[in-house]
Amino acid sequence: YQTSEEGLVIRAGLLRRVIPYSAITFVGPGDEGSLSVRYGNNAGVRISPANSRAFLEDMATRATHLTGEAGLPPGRYYTTLTPRRPDAC
């Protein structure tokens, strides 16, 4: 995987998929130390970044419609990113 200007880029073999940041609905703990990225209505992927903290902080700055637990501002350590409440935008 790789973060880019256009979205989260997932590569698997010869396949390349770009998930626009606006489509991401959740980033948080997955199985066995991985992170779960949910997007769209019911899609998801698990990734295992070398530095989960740095990945979550990067995602918090790129996917601005998401917020950390308890509405923490960007730059704080996140373990989960979820959609912002409408009144918080």
Side-chain angles (χ1 to χ4, degrees):
Y1 76 92
Q2 172 185 350
T3 56
S4 72
E5 292 299 317
E6 56 186 346
L8 181 62
V9 179
I10 305 290
R11 289 191 178 100
L14 298 175
L15 299 177
R16 179 181 182 266
R17 176 178 23 172
V18 177
I19 304 167
Y21 296 113
S22 61
I24 296 174
T25 59
F26 173 85
V27 181
D31 297 334
E32 300 176 13
S34 68
L35 289 177
S36 174
V37 178
R38 294 186 206 140
Y39 59 96
N41 290 330
N42 197 22
V45 64
R46 283 188 295 156
I47 62 172
S48 296
N51 186 335
S52 294
R53 180 179 181 162
F55 175 80
L56 286 164
E57 289 175 354
D58 187 27
M59 289 297 293
T61 61
R62 294 176 184 270
T64 56
H65 64 287
L66 300 178
T67 186
E69 55 274 49
L72 294 174
R76 297 290 302 267
Y77 175 56
Y78 302 113
T79 58
T80 304
L81 296 172
T82 57
R84 290 182 184 275
R85 293 187 325 265
D87 61 328
C89 291

